[in-house]
Amino acid sequence: MIRVLAIDDEPLALQQLVSYIGKVPFLELAGQCQSAIEARQLLDNEQVDAIFCDINMPDLNGMDFVKQLAAPPLVVFTTAYAEYAVEGFRVNAVDYLLKPFGLQDFMRAANRLKERSPQQPSASPIQPAPEGEVSEDSIFVKTDYRVVKVSFSDIRYVEGMSEYLKLHLDNQPKPIITLLAMKQLEERLPHNFMRIHRSYIVNLDKIAEVNKNRIILDADTYLPIGDSYKEQFNKYIESRFLGR
């Protein structure tokens, strides 16, 4: 685990940082501060491997704060002002997040922290969801502070929802919601799954009917076929079509 300190004088921005840190499996929140002076006191008493630090803060700005540290941890700067980027990298910052930033930008910075961290092996970046298939027919995903096993055969379709995915499963009235990019999951799914829309992946074995530009799974579930995905889907249907 990489123990990180979040520093920002704006309460909402600090809350966002803390929230994002909590979504990354290899980050552990060591503390949160609203000033560089408070952060310096915490660093004297806590083991901290990295900091996410706002630049524009009263009394002592984040850039000067880092320069004053005798043995600074890994640093990711956050600020609303792009002109600080060059100076940030001059103090060997790992990354620079320009506000407002989203979770994917934060994950990029977190993965760079992991690559630079001496306690971590040099490996492929870890993504927001837990890694690894336990077998060829299932994956683990994180949802509601739990890690659950999902069998591919149980997935009816996947729905993209901003930074999250909904996994709609057989015999479950509510979908599993997990923090994961559509492309990440798409790369892990077996051949009987197909992307049919920017926001949908369908288990081809669950299709009951195709009606014009819609896939029907049951009486209550209709999925649109996006224009960019029609050709690939039509080829799949034609390869299995019988009759005239």
Side-chain angles (χ1 to χ4, degrees):
M1 297 289 286
I2 302 174
R3 288 175 55 80
V4 298
L5 174 62
I7 311 169
D8 200 303
D9 65 309
E10 298 176 6
L12 290 179
L14 183 60
Q15 182 181 349
Q16 181 194 49
L17 269 178
V18 171
S19 174
Y20 284 172
I21 289 167
K23 296 178 188 298
V24 182
F26 56 82
L27 296 184
E28 177 185 357
L29 183 67
Q32 50 182 302
C33 303
Q34 288 189 257
S35 73
I37 296 172
E38 182 185 352
R40 188 157 52 190
Q41 294 172 346
L42 188 146
L43 287 172
D44 290 337
N45 299 295
E46 292 283 345
Q47 176 195 340
V48 174
D49 303 309
I51 59 176
F52 285 85
C53 185
D54 184 32
I55 293 178
N56 295 85
M57 294 187 292
D59 299 325
L60 180 62
N61 72 48
M63 195 75 67
D64 291 337
F65 163 65
V66 171
K67 289 177 180 179
Q68 290 178 9
L69 295 175
L74 299 172
V75 180
V76 175
F77 284 118
T78 66
T79 185
Y81 300 95
E83 60 265 27
Y84 285 109
V86 174
E87 187 178 357
F89 288 113
R90 283 176 179 166
V91 296
N92 202 29
V94 173
D95 206 348
Y96 178 94
L97 290 170
L98 185 63
K99 297 178 182 180
F101 55 86
L103 181 61
Q104 291 303 316
D105 292 324
F106 182 86
M107 279 305 307
R108 179 201 69 215
N111 280 319
R112 288 180 177 173
L113 279 179
K114 182 177 184 298
E115 292 169 0
R116 293 272 295 273
S117 175
Q119 61 173 277
Q120 300 292 330
S122 179
S124 298
I126 293 180
Q127 303 299 333
E131 288 188 305
E133 292 181 54
V134 294
S135 68
E136 294 182 354
D137 60 2
S138 64
I139 53 173
F140 281 117
V141 296
K142 187 175 182 180
T143 180
D144 294 331
Y145 305 101
R146 299 176 296 127
V147 176
V148 298
K149 180 181 177 181
V150 178
S151 296
F152 291 138
S153 60
D154 291 338
I155 301 175
R156 302 181 71 220
Y157 67 99
V158 179
E159 180 181 1
M161 186 181 63
S162 185
E163 297 168 343
Y164 293 82
L165 296 181
K166 288 183 178 180
L167 307 182
H168 297 264
L169 308 180
D170 285 331
N171 305 316
Q172 289 199 28
K174 293 184 178 180
I176 290 176
I177 300 177
T178 185
L179 179 65
L180 194 65
M182 182 77 85
K183 185 171 180 58
Q184 288 176 261
L185 181 61
E186 186 178 9
E187 292 172 349
R188 303 293 293 276
L189 292 171
H191 66 276
N192 58 311
F193 285 82
M194 183 179 291
R195 184 84 170 263
I196 59 163
H197 188 275
R198 183 170 58 89
S199 300
Y200 293 99
I201 296 173
V202 68
N203 184 338
L204 298 169
D205 296 336
K206 309 292 183 179
I207 296 176
E209 185 178 337
V210 179
N211 187 337
K212 296 182 180 178
N213 293 326
R214 297 188 304 175
I215 289 174
I216 301 172
L217 302 185
D218 56 48
D220 300 315
T221 310
Y222 299 77
L223 304 180
I225 304 172
D227 291 339
S228 301
Y229 303 90
K230 283 181 183 177
E231 182 177 357
Q232 180 186 11
F233 182 74
N234 287 338
K235 286 181 179 178
Y236 164 77
I237 294 297
E238 290 170 2
S239 69
R240 287 157 178 77
F241 189 79
L242 293 179
R244 299 180 180 178

